[in-house]
Amino acid sequence: MSRRVDTGLFFEIPGGAARAQAGLLVIRVILAAVFIYAALQKIDKPLMFADEIGMYGILGPGPLLNVFAIILPWIELICGLALLTGVFIRGAALILAAMNLVFIVVIAYRTAGIMSAEGTPLRHVYFDCGCGFGPTYAWKKLIEDAFLFAFSVVILLSPAYRYVVGRRKG
Amino acid sequence: MKRAITQAAALLLLGTAAGLVNNAFSVNGIDPFRRLEEVPVFENGGEPITEADADDHDGICFVNLEEFREMVDAGYPIIDARTSDEYKSGHVPGAILCDYFEMGRYFDFVLPRLDPGDRIGIYCNGPSCDDSEMLGRELYTMGYKKLCVFKGGMEEWREAGLEIEHGAEEWSE
């Protein structure tokens, strides 16, 4: 008869709690590294970032676009640090899940626009999404963002965390 | 989930405050209420753009190597939109450095050297680089209406074996 092991995740994995928490930590570090790096590429460069996200044509040419360019990198940075330290981790995971979902939708929208306007096949659609990693193929970026979204959801739904700054045992 | 939403709200507030404070004090900060103008793009149907054409049309015109070289020879201000390191390793003679990615920092030094009524040439690395055009759009919004973007950039200039100047601008060191 098998005994259910509380892994601290919302699903069970072989090896029990220690391995599950180590896996969760790896996911946290990957997600944090991606968003901290992306934030550092854009922080203090609001003109450039506004131009890049302005290419989506969604936020208009005015204040909404500017404010978004000013604050988004800081929110990414703060969420990345929250994931690393474990402080406010659920809130950070919720924001990143929502952000990744939005990124997927707007990148898909822009990709569809390029495909229909220029007749470019999906595999050849290539642009700078303004994500902080330079120009890349749209399909590749969509897959990456889908993974980041899944990672955020795993962290958000996990009932317990270890490796939290300021807490001895999780 | 309620706790996640509360935490998310706190993080969003913190991020918003940090971004706005940094923007207020940073040399690269922007006016949150600025509005980019629609920039007319002038192309002469593939034909060379004459000086009269460029002078008659406000907005961005795309020039080829020959036209750009004429601008350089005639002494029009030329802006290099690449990074400081790229500029140091070789640039069009007399070009003014204005790194597009840090333009807020450069504008204090660059703008006094430009006349809003004059034609201004801009280039960056080469055909795959959009920084010169993006910088042109910013300058247009700031009142510089006659902008000539050389899409061939440093790549084409170098390939043509034209004169290249090395070294940094004094003030940028």
Side-chain angles (χ1 to χ4, degrees), chain A residues 63-121:
Chain A
L64 193 59
L65 176 71
N66 302 325
V67 171
F68 207 74
I70 291 167
I71 67 172
L72 187 70
W74 284 92
I75 291 172
E76 289 180 337
L77 179 68
I78 286 167
C79 287
L81 293 174
L83 286 181
L84 272 189
T85 57
V87 177
F88 280 20
I89 193 168
R90 280 180 213 288
L94 177 61
I95 292 172
L96 295 184
M99 272 178 18
N100 276 302
L101 202 56
V102 173
F103 293 163
I104 289 169
V105 171
V106 297
I107 290 170
Y109 170 77
R110 186 168 165 194
T111 303
I114 292 173
M115 286 169 69
S116 70
E118 299 170 16
T120 313

Short mmCIF file of all heavy atoms in Angstrom, two decimals, chain A residues 63-121:
data_model
loop_
_atom_site.label_atom_id
_atom_site.label_comp_id
_atom_site.label_asym_id
_atom_site.label_seq_id
_atom_site.Cartn_x
_atom_site.Cartn_y
_atom_site.Cartn_z
N PRO A 63 0.43 58.69 -23.27
CA PRO A 63 0.84 58.43 -21.89
C PRO A 63 0.80 56.95 -21.46
O PRO A 63 1.67 56.51 -20.73
CB PRO A 63 -0.18 59.23 -21.07
CG PRO A 63 -0.65 60.29 -21.97
CD PRO A 63 -0.60 59.73 -23.35
N LEU A 64 -0.18 56.21 -21.92
CA LEU A 64 -0.28 54.81 -21.52
C LEU A 64 0.98 54.04 -21.92
O LEU A 64 1.55 53.27 -21.14
CB LEU A 64 -1.53 54.18 -22.17
CG LEU A 64 -1.97 52.84 -21.63
CD1 LEU A 64 -2.27 52.91 -20.14
CD2 LEU A 64 -3.21 52.33 -22.38
N LEU A 65 1.42 54.29 -23.14
CA LEU A 65 2.63 53.64 -23.65
C LEU A 65 3.85 54.05 -22.81
O LEU A 65 4.65 53.20 -22.41
CB LEU A 65 2.83 54.06 -25.11
CG LEU A 65 4.10 53.55 -25.80
CD1 LEU A 65 4.00 52.06 -26.07
CD2 LEU A 65 4.34 54.29 -27.11
N ASN A 66 3.95 55.36 -22.51
CA ASN A 66 5.11 55.85 -21.75
C ASN A 66 5.15 55.28 -20.34
O ASN A 66 6.20 54.83 -19.87
CB ASN A 66 5.07 57.38 -21.68
CG ASN A 66 5.05 58.01 -23.04
OD1 ASN A 66 5.66 57.50 -23.97
ND2 ASN A 66 4.31 59.10 -23.18
N VAL A 67 4.00 55.31 -19.67
CA VAL A 67 3.95 54.82 -18.28
C VAL A 67 4.27 53.32 -18.25
O VAL A 67 5.02 52.85 -17.39
CB VAL A 67 2.57 55.11 -17.65
CG1 VAL A 67 2.43 54.41 -16.31
CG2 VAL A 67 2.38 56.61 -17.48
N PHE A 68 3.75 52.62 -19.22
CA PHE A 68 4.02 51.19 -19.31
C PHE A 68 5.54 50.95 -19.47
O PHE A 68 6.10 50.08 -18.80
CB PHE A 68 3.28 50.64 -20.55
CG PHE A 68 2.92 49.21 -20.44
CD1 PHE A 68 1.88 48.80 -19.62
CD2 PHE A 68 3.61 48.25 -21.16
CE1 PHE A 68 1.55 47.47 -19.52
CE2 PHE A 68 3.28 46.91 -21.07
CZ PHE A 68 2.25 46.53 -20.25
N ALA A 69 6.17 51.75 -20.33
CA ALA A 69 7.61 51.60 -20.57
C ALA A 69 8.42 51.96 -19.33
O ALA A 69 9.49 51.40 -19.09
CB ALA A 69 8.03 52.47 -21.75
N ILE A 70 7.89 52.88 -18.53
CA ILE A 70 8.61 53.31 -17.33
C ILE A 70 8.52 52.26 -16.21
O ILE A 70 9.50 51.96 -15.54
CB ILE A 70 8.04 54.67 -16.83
CG1 ILE A 70 8.39 55.78 -17.81
CG2 ILE A 70 8.54 55.00 -15.44
CD1 ILE A 70 7.61 57.08 -17.58
N ILE A 71 7.33 51.68 -16.03
CA ILE A 71 7.14 50.82 -14.84
C ILE A 71 7.30 49.32 -15.09
O ILE A 71 7.68 48.59 -14.17
CB ILE A 71 5.79 51.09 -14.15
CG1 ILE A 71 4.62 50.64 -15.03
CG2 ILE A 71 5.64 52.53 -13.74
CD1 ILE A 71 3.27 50.70 -14.30
N LEU A 72 7.05 48.85 -16.31
CA LEU A 72 7.06 47.39 -16.53
C LEU A 72 8.41 46.73 -16.15
O LEU A 72 8.41 45.70 -15.47
CB LEU A 72 6.68 47.05 -17.97
CG LEU A 72 6.53 45.55 -18.21
CD1 LEU A 72 5.30 44.99 -17.51
CD2 LEU A 72 6.47 45.20 -19.68
N PRO A 73 9.56 47.31 -16.58
CA PRO A 73 10.82 46.66 -16.20
C PRO A 73 11.00 46.57 -14.69
O PRO A 73 11.57 45.60 -14.18
CB PRO A 73 11.88 47.58 -16.83
CG PRO A 73 11.17 48.29 -17.92
CD PRO A 73 9.77 48.48 -17.44
N TRP A 74 10.53 47.58 -13.96
CA TRP A 74 10.67 47.55 -12.50
C TRP A 74 9.79 46.47 -11.89
O TRP A 74 10.19 45.82 -10.92
CB TRP A 74 10.34 48.93 -11.91
CG TRP A 74 11.46 49.89 -12.13
CD1 TRP A 74 11.61 50.74 -13.19
CD2 TRP A 74 12.64 50.05 -11.34
NE1 TRP A 74 12.79 51.43 -13.08
CE2 TRP A 74 13.45 51.03 -11.97
CE3 TRP A 74 13.10 49.45 -10.16
CZ2 TRP A 74 14.67 51.43 -11.45
CZ3 TRP A 74 14.33 49.86 -9.64
CH2 TRP A 74 15.09 50.83 -10.27
N ILE A 75 8.61 46.29 -12.44
CA ILE A 75 7.74 45.23 -11.93
C ILE A 75 8.37 43.86 -12.21
O ILE A 75 8.38 42.97 -11.35
CB ILE A 75 6.34 45.34 -12.57
CG1 ILE A 75 5.65 46.61 -12.05
CG2 ILE A 75 5.48 44.12 -12.25
CD1 ILE A 75 4.35 46.96 -12.72
N GLU A 76 8.97 43.72 -13.39
CA GLU A 76 9.66 42.46 -13.70
C GLU A 76 10.81 42.21 -12.72
O GLU A 76 10.98 41.09 -12.23
CB GLU A 76 10.22 42.50 -15.13
CG GLU A 76 9.15 42.43 -16.21
CD GLU A 76 9.72 42.47 -17.62
OE1 GLU A 76 10.84 42.98 -17.80
OE2 GLU A 76 9.04 42.02 -18.55
N LEU A 77 11.58 43.27 -12.46
CA LEU A 77 12.72 43.13 -11.55
C LEU A 77 12.26 42.73 -10.15
O LEU A 77 12.80 41.81 -9.53
CB LEU A 77 13.50 44.44 -11.49
CG LEU A 77 14.71 44.45 -10.55
CD1 LEU A 77 15.80 43.53 -11.07
CD2 LEU A 77 15.26 45.85 -10.38
N ILE A 78 11.25 43.42 -9.65
CA ILE A 78 10.77 43.17 -8.29
C ILE A 78 10.16 41.76 -8.18
O ILE A 78 10.39 41.05 -7.20
CB ILE A 78 9.77 44.28 -7.87
CG1 ILE A 78 10.58 45.55 -7.59
CG2 ILE A 78 8.95 43.88 -6.66
CD1 ILE A 78 9.76 46.80 -7.47
N CYS A 79 9.45 41.34 -9.21
CA CYS A 79 8.89 39.98 -9.19
C CYS A 79 10.01 38.94 -9.23
O CYS A 79 9.94 37.91 -8.56
CB CYS A 79 7.94 39.77 -10.37
SG CYS A 79 6.40 40.66 -10.17
N GLY A 80 11.03 39.21 -10.03
CA GLY A 80 12.18 38.28 -10.10
C GLY A 80 12.84 38.15 -8.74
O GLY A 80 13.15 37.04 -8.28
N LEU A 81 13.05 39.27 -8.07
CA LEU A 81 13.68 39.24 -6.75
C LEU A 81 12.77 38.54 -5.73
O LEU A 81 13.25 37.80 -4.86
CB LEU A 81 13.98 40.67 -6.27
CG LEU A 81 15.06 41.41 -7.09
CD1 LEU A 81 15.19 42.86 -6.64
CD2 LEU A 81 16.41 40.69 -6.98
N ALA A 82 11.45 38.74 -5.86
CA ALA A 82 10.51 38.08 -4.95
C ALA A 82 10.58 36.56 -5.13
O ALA A 82 10.56 35.81 -4.16
CB ALA A 82 9.09 38.58 -5.21
N LEU A 83 10.72 36.11 -6.36
CA LEU A 83 10.83 34.66 -6.60
C LEU A 83 12.11 34.10 -6.01
O LEU A 83 12.13 33.01 -5.45
CB LEU A 83 10.81 34.37 -8.11
CG LEU A 83 9.48 34.50 -8.83
CD1 LEU A 83 9.66 34.14 -10.30
CD2 LEU A 83 8.43 33.59 -8.22
N LEU A 84 13.20 34.86 -6.15
CA LEU A 84 14.49 34.39 -5.64
C LEU A 84 14.48 34.30 -4.12
O LEU A 84 14.95 33.33 -3.54
CB LEU A 84 15.60 35.34 -6.06
CG LEU A 84 16.30 35.11 -7.39
CD1 LEU A 84 17.50 36.03 -7.51
CD2 LEU A 84 16.74 33.66 -7.57
N THR A 85 13.94 35.33 -3.49
CA THR A 85 13.98 35.39 -2.03
C THR A 85 12.84 34.60 -1.38
O THR A 85 12.92 34.22 -0.22
CB THR A 85 13.88 36.84 -1.54
OG1 THR A 85 12.66 37.41 -2.05
CG2 THR A 85 15.05 37.68 -2.02
N GLY A 86 11.78 34.38 -2.13
CA GLY A 86 10.62 33.68 -1.57
C GLY A 86 9.67 34.61 -0.84
O GLY A 86 8.65 34.17 -0.32
N VAL A 87 9.99 35.91 -0.82
CA VAL A 87 9.12 36.88 -0.16
C VAL A 87 8.02 37.31 -1.14
O VAL A 87 8.32 37.70 -2.27
CB VAL A 87 9.94 38.12 0.29
CG1 VAL A 87 9.03 39.17 0.90
CG2 VAL A 87 11.02 37.69 1.27
N PHE A 88 6.79 37.22 -0.74
CA PHE A 88 5.64 37.55 -1.62
C PHE A 88 5.66 36.71 -2.90
O PHE A 88 5.33 37.19 -3.98
CB PHE A 88 5.65 39.04 -1.98
CG PHE A 88 5.08 39.93 -0.90
CD1 PHE A 88 4.99 39.50 0.41
CD2 PHE A 88 4.63 41.21 -1.19
CE1 PHE A 88 4.46 40.32 1.41
CE2 PHE A 88 4.10 42.04 -0.21
CZ PHE A 88 4.02 41.58 1.09
N ILE A 89 6.02 35.47 -2.75
CA ILE A 89 6.26 34.62 -3.92
C ILE A 89 4.98 34.36 -4.71
O ILE A 89 4.98 34.31 -5.93
CB ILE A 89 6.95 33.31 -3.46
CG1 ILE A 89 7.48 32.56 -4.66
CG2 ILE A 89 6.05 32.43 -2.65
CD1 ILE A 89 8.42 31.43 -4.28
N ARG A 90 3.87 34.20 -3.98
CA ARG A 90 2.60 33.92 -4.70
C ARG A 90 2.17 35.13 -5.52
O ARG A 90 1.71 34.98 -6.66
CB ARG A 90 1.50 33.57 -3.71
CG ARG A 90 1.55 32.17 -3.22
CD ARG A 90 0.42 31.90 -2.24
NE ARG A 90 0.86 30.95 -1.25
CZ ARG A 90 1.04 29.66 -1.50
NH1 ARG A 90 0.78 29.19 -2.68
NH2 ARG A 90 1.47 28.84 -0.56
N GLY A 91 2.32 36.29 -4.95
CA GLY A 91 1.95 37.51 -5.66
C GLY A 91 2.80 37.67 -6.93
O GLY A 91 2.28 38.00 -8.00
N ALA A 92 4.12 37.40 -6.77
CA ALA A 92 5.02 37.51 -7.93
C ALA A 92 4.62 36.50 -9.01
O ALA A 92 4.58 36.84 -10.20
CB ALA A 92 6.46 37.28 -7.48
N ALA A 93 4.31 35.28 -8.57
CA ALA A 93 3.93 34.24 -9.54
C ALA A 93 2.63 34.62 -10.25
O ALA A 93 2.50 34.39 -11.46
CB ALA A 93 3.79 32.90 -8.83
N LEU A 94 1.72 35.21 -9.50
CA LEU A 94 0.44 35.62 -10.12
C LEU A 94 0.68 36.70 -11.18
O LEU A 94 0.15 36.62 -12.30
CB LEU A 94 -0.51 36.15 -9.04
CG LEU A 94 -1.86 36.68 -9.52
CD1 LEU A 94 -2.67 35.60 -10.22
CD2 LEU A 94 -2.68 37.25 -8.35
N ILE A 95 1.50 37.68 -10.84
CA ILE A 95 1.79 38.76 -11.81
C ILE A 95 2.48 38.19 -13.05
O ILE A 95 2.12 38.51 -14.19
CB ILE A 95 2.69 39.85 -11.16
CG1 ILE A 95 1.92 40.60 -10.07
CG2 ILE A 95 3.18 40.84 -12.22
CD1 ILE A 95 2.78 41.55 -9.25
N LEU A 96 3.48 37.33 -12.82
CA LEU A 96 4.23 36.80 -13.96
C LEU A 96 3.36 35.89 -14.83
O LEU A 96 3.50 35.88 -16.06
CB LEU A 96 5.49 36.07 -13.49
CG LEU A 96 6.53 36.97 -12.81
CD1 LEU A 96 7.78 36.17 -12.46
CD2 LEU A 96 6.91 38.15 -13.70
N ALA A 97 2.47 35.14 -14.21
CA ALA A 97 1.55 34.30 -15.00
C ALA A 97 0.68 35.19 -15.87
O ALA A 97 0.52 34.94 -17.08
CB ALA A 97 0.70 33.44 -14.07
N ALA A 98 0.13 36.25 -15.26
CA ALA A 98 -0.73 37.16 -16.03
C ALA A 98 0.06 37.85 -17.13
O ALA A 98 -0.41 37.96 -18.28
CB ALA A 98 -1.33 38.20 -15.08
N MET A 99 1.28 38.29 -16.80
CA MET A 99 2.10 38.99 -17.80
C MET A 99 2.45 38.07 -18.96
O MET A 99 2.36 38.46 -20.13
CB MET A 99 3.39 39.52 -17.15
CG MET A 99 3.17 40.90 -16.57
SD MET A 99 4.53 41.70 -15.71
CE MET A 99 5.97 40.91 -16.14
N ASN A 100 2.83 36.83 -18.64
CA ASN A 100 3.19 35.90 -19.73
C ASN A 100 2.01 35.60 -20.63
O ASN A 100 2.17 35.44 -21.84
CB ASN A 100 3.78 34.61 -19.15
CG ASN A 100 5.24 34.76 -18.85
OD1 ASN A 100 6.04 35.07 -19.72
ND2 ASN A 100 5.62 34.59 -17.59
N LEU A 101 0.84 35.51 -20.01
CA LEU A 101 -0.36 35.27 -20.80
C LEU A 101 -0.60 36.44 -21.77
O LEU A 101 -0.88 36.24 -22.96
CB LEU A 101 -1.56 35.11 -19.86
CG LEU A 101 -2.76 34.35 -20.40
CD1 LEU A 101 -2.37 32.98 -20.88
CD2 LEU A 101 -3.84 34.24 -19.32
N VAL A 102 -0.44 37.66 -21.25
CA VAL A 102 -0.61 38.84 -22.09
C VAL A 102 0.45 38.86 -23.19
O VAL A 102 0.16 39.13 -24.37
CB VAL A 102 -0.54 40.14 -21.25
CG1 VAL A 102 -0.54 41.37 -22.13
CG2 VAL A 102 -1.70 40.19 -20.27
N PHE A 103 1.71 38.54 -22.82
CA PHE A 103 2.80 38.53 -23.83
C PHE A 103 2.46 37.55 -24.96
O PHE A 103 2.65 37.85 -26.13
CB PHE A 103 4.12 38.10 -23.19
CG PHE A 103 4.68 39.09 -22.20
CD1 PHE A 103 5.67 38.71 -21.29
CD2 PHE A 103 4.23 40.41 -22.16
CE1 PHE A 103 6.18 39.61 -20.38
CE2 PHE A 103 4.73 41.31 -21.24
CZ PHE A 103 5.71 40.91 -20.34
N ILE A 104 1.95 36.37 -24.58
CA ILE A 104 1.62 35.36 -25.59
C ILE A 104 0.55 35.90 -26.55
O ILE A 104 0.68 35.80 -27.76
CB ILE A 104 1.14 34.05 -24.91
CG1 ILE A 104 2.33 33.37 -24.22
CG2 ILE A 104 0.51 33.10 -25.93
CD1 ILE A 104 1.95 32.22 -23.31
N VAL A 105 -0.46 36.53 -25.97
CA VAL A 105 -1.56 37.05 -26.80
C VAL A 105 -1.06 38.16 -27.74
O VAL A 105 -1.32 38.14 -28.95
CB VAL A 105 -2.72 37.58 -25.92
CG1 VAL A 105 -3.76 38.31 -26.75
CG2 VAL A 105 -3.36 36.43 -25.15
N VAL A 106 -0.28 39.13 -27.21
CA VAL A 106 0.13 40.26 -28.06
C VAL A 106 1.18 39.83 -29.10
O VAL A 106 1.17 40.33 -30.23
CB VAL A 106 0.63 41.49 -27.24
CG1 VAL A 106 -0.49 42.05 -26.38
CG2 VAL A 106 1.84 41.17 -26.41
N ILE A 107 2.05 38.90 -28.73
CA ILE A 107 3.05 38.43 -29.71
C ILE A 107 2.34 37.64 -30.82
O ILE A 107 2.64 37.79 -32.01
CB ILE A 107 4.14 37.58 -29.03
CG1 ILE A 107 5.02 38.49 -28.15
CG2 ILE A 107 5.01 36.86 -30.06
CD1 ILE A 107 5.99 37.75 -27.25
N ALA A 108 1.34 36.85 -30.44
CA ALA A 108 0.57 36.10 -31.44
C ALA A 108 -0.18 37.06 -32.35
O ALA A 108 -0.23 36.88 -33.58
CB ALA A 108 -0.41 35.15 -30.75
N TYR A 109 -0.71 38.15 -31.77
CA TYR A 109 -1.45 39.16 -32.53
C TYR A 109 -0.53 39.85 -33.54
O TYR A 109 -0.86 39.99 -34.72
CB TYR A 109 -2.04 40.17 -31.53
CG TYR A 109 -2.65 41.41 -32.12
CD1 TYR A 109 -3.91 41.39 -32.71
CD2 TYR A 109 -1.96 42.63 -32.07
CE1 TYR A 109 -4.47 42.54 -33.24
CE2 TYR A 109 -2.51 43.79 -32.59
CZ TYR A 109 -3.76 43.74 -33.17
OH TYR A 109 -4.31 44.89 -33.69
N ARG A 110 0.66 40.24 -33.07
CA ARG A 110 1.60 40.92 -33.97
C ARG A 110 2.12 39.96 -35.05
O ARG A 110 2.28 40.34 -36.21
CB ARG A 110 2.77 41.48 -33.16
CG ARG A 110 3.71 42.33 -33.99
CD ARG A 110 4.67 43.10 -33.10
NE ARG A 110 5.78 43.63 -33.86
CZ ARG A 110 6.88 44.10 -33.30
NH1 ARG A 110 7.00 44.11 -32.00
NH2 ARG A 110 7.85 44.57 -34.04
N THR A 111 2.34 38.71 -34.65
CA THR A 111 2.80 37.70 -35.61
C THR A 111 1.75 37.51 -36.70
O THR A 111 2.08 37.47 -37.89
CB THR A 111 3.04 36.36 -34.88
OG1 THR A 111 4.00 36.59 -33.84
CG2 THR A 111 3.58 35.30 -35.83
N ALA A 112 0.49 37.39 -36.28
CA ALA A 112 -0.59 37.21 -37.26
C ALA A 112 -0.66 38.41 -38.19
O ALA A 112 -0.87 38.26 -39.41
CB ALA A 112 -1.92 37.03 -36.53
N GLY A 113 -0.43 39.61 -37.65
CA GLY A 113 -0.45 40.84 -38.46
C GLY A 113 0.65 40.80 -39.52
O GLY A 113 0.42 41.12 -40.68
N ILE A 114 1.86 40.40 -39.10
CA ILE A 114 2.99 40.34 -40.04
C ILE A 114 2.72 39.27 -41.11
O ILE A 114 2.96 39.47 -42.30
CB ILE A 114 4.31 40.03 -39.29
CG1 ILE A 114 4.68 41.23 -38.40
CG2 ILE A 114 5.43 39.71 -40.26
CD1 ILE A 114 5.86 40.99 -37.47
N MET A 115 2.17 38.13 -40.66
CA MET A 115 1.89 37.04 -41.60
C MET A 115 0.89 37.48 -42.66
O MET A 115 1.07 37.20 -43.85
CB MET A 115 1.37 35.82 -40.85
CG MET A 115 2.45 35.08 -40.07
SD MET A 115 1.77 33.85 -38.95
CE MET A 115 1.14 32.66 -40.10
N SER A 116 -0.15 38.19 -42.24
CA SER A 116 -1.18 38.56 -43.22
C SER A 116 -0.73 39.75 -44.07
O SER A 116 -1.02 39.81 -45.26
CB SER A 116 -2.51 38.85 -42.52
OG SER A 116 -2.40 40.02 -41.79
N ALA A 117 0.02 40.69 -43.48
CA ALA A 117 0.44 41.88 -44.24
C ALA A 117 1.54 41.56 -45.24
O ALA A 117 1.56 42.08 -46.35
CB ALA A 117 0.89 42.97 -43.28
N GLU A 118 2.48 40.71 -44.83
CA GLU A 118 3.65 40.46 -45.68
C GLU A 118 3.63 39.08 -46.32
O GLU A 118 4.53 38.74 -47.09
CB GLU A 118 4.94 40.65 -44.86
CG GLU A 118 5.08 42.06 -44.29
CD GLU A 118 6.22 42.18 -43.29
OE1 GLU A 118 7.09 41.28 -43.26
OE2 GLU A 118 6.23 43.16 -42.54
N GLY A 119 2.65 38.26 -45.94
CA GLY A 119 2.57 36.91 -46.49
C GLY A 119 3.72 36.02 -46.02
O GLY A 119 4.08 35.05 -46.68
N THR A 120 4.30 36.39 -44.87
CA THR A 120 5.43 35.61 -44.33
C THR A 120 4.92 34.37 -43.61
O THR A 120 4.01 34.46 -42.79
CB THR A 120 6.21 36.47 -43.31
OG1 THR A 120 6.43 37.75 -43.87
CG2 THR A 120 7.53 35.84 -42.94
N PRO A 121 5.48 33.18 -43.90
CA PRO A 121 5.06 32.00 -43.13
C PRO A 121 5.51 32.11 -41.68
O PRO A 121 6.52 32.76 -41.38
CB PRO A 121 5.77 30.84 -43.84
CG PRO A 121 6.79 31.43 -44.71
CD PRO A 121 6.48 32.88 -44.93
#
